[in-house]
């Protein structure tokens, strides 16, 4: 390991240790023990963050990785729903809670909305590292129910693609791709924050009467969004789920069903979201499924699917990822292409996902690039990721031009760099 890698590994381990939250919650006296995204800005448990933390924790102690998932699964509901946030220490974090508002609560302690289903990939990674099939059998039931819930509640047009009902559900809260539907100007500045909050509140008000019938919400067409990144993660999750079902020793019929569903989602992405002229994928906005043509890293995300048509994968990499006018900046991969009017690498808007580079995106695309025979490009991304963390610390996101750190300090999923470094040394 080189000197900068060693420093980054030590910092990542420090953050995973320092962000750990343990205790007994006022939420029914349940015990919690998990790594939060940031003790000051984000002290709660978030669904996709925890899945990323579990993967990073495999490089510290696999038992901590299992515990992270066990803690998360306490949010799973009998109908299959799993919330995007669990507010374990709600009382102690009133100030942080005001910062993450507006959220839509299903219960005083958890939200009524979801986040990308990274959890199946995380559990498969835990099994690959530990060979612990009992753990898989333990956590599989709520995860399987969640993937069934997604199909039943979030795919009302039955095209294979799941729909989101508000921007935070993708985890890409203020991405400019949502601006038009949210009524936000693309030249967003700090002053647009209240505008965004009002827009979110409008959605929640429209949904309120349907609290007990969540399957009817996407058909309201207030904010119905088939997101390419979310659906690529969903397809990958279904593929992992098929493997987990086999590992648990459950009937092969079910594994076959999840594999077939994974194929169907990938096929839907390739037929409904692919733009042959531009050589990218577009999210589909609204019930009318209008392609949302704002170029963000989302447009490249089906690269994470091994079975993506190799010709499309090649175009994504050669024409876009490696394009210096779009994504190939000094510290890739920016969340928004450099040529977009909304591109805000310096975090001027003070809202997220409008330009800076995030390590969870680099992590996913790293593995996708390797799966598509582009290990050279993947290695370069790790070099630059290590360089920016070494330079600026374990931050929430980074300026893709300079590598300067932005957003929260000591941010949880940036520790995915542990997995990237291990992979580059042949150890993942
Ligand atoms: C921000 C991010 C979201 C993440 C959360 C906690 O809201 O946009 O993706 O889950 O912070 O880290």
């Amino acid at each position: 390991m080189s000197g900068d890698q060693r420093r980054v590994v030590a910092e990542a381990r420090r953050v995973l240790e320092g962000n750990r939250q343990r205790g007994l919650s006022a939420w029914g006296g349940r015990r919690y023990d998990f790594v939060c995204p940031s003790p000051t800005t984000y002290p709660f448990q978030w669904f996709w963050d925890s899945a990323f933390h579990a993967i990073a924790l495999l490089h510290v102690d696999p038992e901590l990785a299992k515990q992270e998932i066990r803690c998360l699964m306490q949010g799973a509901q009998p109908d299959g729903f799993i919330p995007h946030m669990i507010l374990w220490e709600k009382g102690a974090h009133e100030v942080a809670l005001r910062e993450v508002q507006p959220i839509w609560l299903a219960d005083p302690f958890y939200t009524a909305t979801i986040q990308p289903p990274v959890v199946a990939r995380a559990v498969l990674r835990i099994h690959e590292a530990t060979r612990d099939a009992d753990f898989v059998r333990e956590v599989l039931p709520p995860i399987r129910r969640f993937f069934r819930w997604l199909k039943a509640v979030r795919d009302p047009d039955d095209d294979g693609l799941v729909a989101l009902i508000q921007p935070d559900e993708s985890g890409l809260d203020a991405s400019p791709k949502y601006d038009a539907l949210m009524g936000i100007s693309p030249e967003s500045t700090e002053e647009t924050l209240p505008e965004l909050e009002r827009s979110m509140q409008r959605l929640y008000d429209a949904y309120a009467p349907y609290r007990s019938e969540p399957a009817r919400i996407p058909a309201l067409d207030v904010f119905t969004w088939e997101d390419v990144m979310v659906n690529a993660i969903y397809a990958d999750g279904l593929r992992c789920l098929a493997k987990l079902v086999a590992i648990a020793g459950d009937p092969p019929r079910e594994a076959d069903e999840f594999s077939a569903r994974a194929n169907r989602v990938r096929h839907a992405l390739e037929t409904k979201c692919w733009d042959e002229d531009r050589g990218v994928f577009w999210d589909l906005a609204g019930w009318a499924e209008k392609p949302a043509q704002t170029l963000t890293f989302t447009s490249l995300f089906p690269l994470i699917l091994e079975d993506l048509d190799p010709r499309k994968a090649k175009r994504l990499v050669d024409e876009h990822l490696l394009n210096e006018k779009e994504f190939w900046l000094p510290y890739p991969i920016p969340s928004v292409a450099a040529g977009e009017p909304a591109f805000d690498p310096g975090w001027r808007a003070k809202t997220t996902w409008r330009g800076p580079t995030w390590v969870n995106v680099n992590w996913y695309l790293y593995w996708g690039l390797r799966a598509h025979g582009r290990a050279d490009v993947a290695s370069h991304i790790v070099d630059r990721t290590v360089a920016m963390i070494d330079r600026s610390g374990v931050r929430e996101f980074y300026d893709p031009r300079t590598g300067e750190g932005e957003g929260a300090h000591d941010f949880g999923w940036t520790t995915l760099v542990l997995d990237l470094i291990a992979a580059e040394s042949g150890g993942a």
Side-chain angles (χ1 to χ4, degrees):
M1 217 187 277
S2 61
D4 57 348
Q5 287 181 339
R6 247 194 305 278
R7 284 191 298 274
V8 165
V9 166
E11 272 298 280
R13 288 169 159 265
R14 179 187 64 72
V15 168
L16 285 169
E17 175 60 29
N19 289 18
R20 196 157 160 206
Q21 309 274 319
R22 260 174 294 194
L24 207 58
S25 172
W27 184 33
R30 292 172 178 85
R31 279 198 177 283
Y32 60 86
D33 189 338
F34 69 99
V35 172
C36 71
S38 140
T40 45
T41 319
Y42 307 109
F44 307 112
Q45 188 168 28
W46 269 263
F47 188 64
W48 76 331
D49 296 70
S50 264
F52 293 130
H53 298 164
I55 292 166
L57 285 165
L58 284 173
H59 300 280
V60 177
D61 175 356
E63 287 310 311
L64 294 178
K66 292 180 196 168
Q67 178 174 281
E68 185 83 14
I69 302 295
R70 286 188 180 113
C71 186
L72 190 66
M73 288 303 116
Q74 292 186 78
Q77 299 304 304
D79 67 350
F81 172 78
I82 306 182
H84 109 262
M85 286 171 72
I86 308 179
L87 311 174
W88 292 110
E89 273 286 1
K90 193 178 180 182
H93 296 297
E94 290 294 336
V95 176
L97 194 57
R98 270 201 297 280
E99 286 292 308
V100 296
Q101 296 281 24
I103 49 176
W104 188 30
L105 293 176
D107 172 284
F109 287 89
Y110 61 83
T111 58
T113 45
I114 57 168
Q115 256 189 341
V118 180
V119 66
R121 172 56 67 184
V123 172
L124 186 63
R125 286 294 296 269
I126 293 175
H127 182 263
E128 284 164 1
T130 63
R131 299 286 154 202
D132 184 349
D134 286 337
F135 172 72
V136 172
R137 278 187 281 272
E138 178 191 334
V139 296
L140 187 56
I143 296 173
R144 176 173 24 211
R145 273 201 301 276
F146 182 54
F147 276 84
R148 293 202 181 289
W149 182 93
L150 286 171
K151 179 172 191 284
V153 176
R154 289 306 184 82
D155 185 11
D157 60 356
D158 194 26
D159 64 351
L161 303 175
V162 292
L164 307 178
I165 59 166
Q166 58 107 328
D168 287 15
E169 288 203 314
S170 66
L172 313 177
D173 309 7
S175 171
K177 66 188 185 173
Y178 304 129
D179 283 353
L181 207 52
M182 293 297 281
I184 307 287
S185 111
E187 305 286 347
S188 190
T189 62
E190 219 168 319
E191 289 71 57
T192 50
L193 263 173
E195 206 182 308
L196 184 63
E197 284 173 12
R198 270 197 298 279
S199 218
M200 295 281 276
Q201 198 51 55
R202 261 202 307 278
L203 303 185
Y204 298 149
D205 292 345
Y207 299 156
Y210 300 88
R211 206 168 256 285
S212 59
E213 292 177 287
R216 293 184 59 192
I217 291 179
L220 299 175
D221 200 13
V222 179
F223 182 96
T224 299
W225 191 281
E226 291 173 327
D227 191 291
V228 167
M229 181 202 75
V230 172
N231 278 286
I233 292 175
Y234 177 53
D236 180 62
L238 286 163
R239 187 75 67 209
C240 295
L241 203 52
K243 292 187 182 150
L244 292 170
V245 165
I247 291 164
D250 289 341
R253 241 191 347 269
E254 213 185 359
D256 293 346
E257 176 204 331
F258 288 128
S259 292
R261 279 179 58 189
N263 289 341
R264 186 159 180 250
V265 179
R266 199 246 317 125
H267 181 74
L269 284 167
E270 291 202 29
T271 48
K272 299 187 73 172
C273 304
W274 175 251
D275 177 340
E276 181 61 25
D277 289 341
R278 296 281 301 273
V280 289
F281 291 86
W282 301 120
D283 293 359
L284 303 176
W287 197 260
E289 301 188 324
K290 185 165 177 272
Q293 300 185 346
T294 309
L295 191 60
T296 72
F297 75 93
T298 293
S299 289
L300 315 180
F301 223 73
L303 257 183
I304 73 165
L305 303 174
E306 287 185 3
D307 54 346
L308 177 71
D309 169 11
R311 191 185 60 87
K312 295 192 178 81
K314 189 168 184 331
R315 289 194 65 188
L316 292 175
V317 177
D318 293 341
E319 295 173 25
H320 301 285
L321 180 61
L322 296 177
N323 180 340
E324 289 174 5
K325 295 203 175 72
E326 295 181 359
F327 297 100
W328 209 234
L329 301 190
Y331 297 88
I333 302 163
S335 41
V336 175
E340 282 290 336
F343 178 59
D344 175 21
W347 198 34
R348 192 173 41 91
K350 294 286 178 251
T351 54
T352 48
W353 301 100
R354 301 186 74 88
T357 294
W358 297 70
V359 174
N360 64 332
V361 172
N362 287 7
W363 178 83
Y364 256 123
L365 289 174
Y366 170 83
W367 289 106
L369 286 161
R370 282 185 50 158
H372 287 281
R374 306 302 290 266
D376 52 332
V377 181
S379 295
H380 178 82
I381 290 172
V382 176
D383 286 348
R384 302 312 290 160
T385 303
V386 169
M388 76 189 181
I389 299 174
D390 189 36
R391 195 198 133 174
S392 305
V394 183
R395 299 293 297 270
E396 188 176 1
F397 40 84
Y398 300 83
D399 187 322
R401 303 161 306 180
T402 61
E404 198 181 313
E406 298 168 335
H409 290 260
D410 291 351
F411 188 71
W413 78 44
T414 299
T415 64
L416 280 170
V417 70
L418 293 174
D419 196 59
L420 296 176
I421 291 173
E424 282 295 283
S425 348

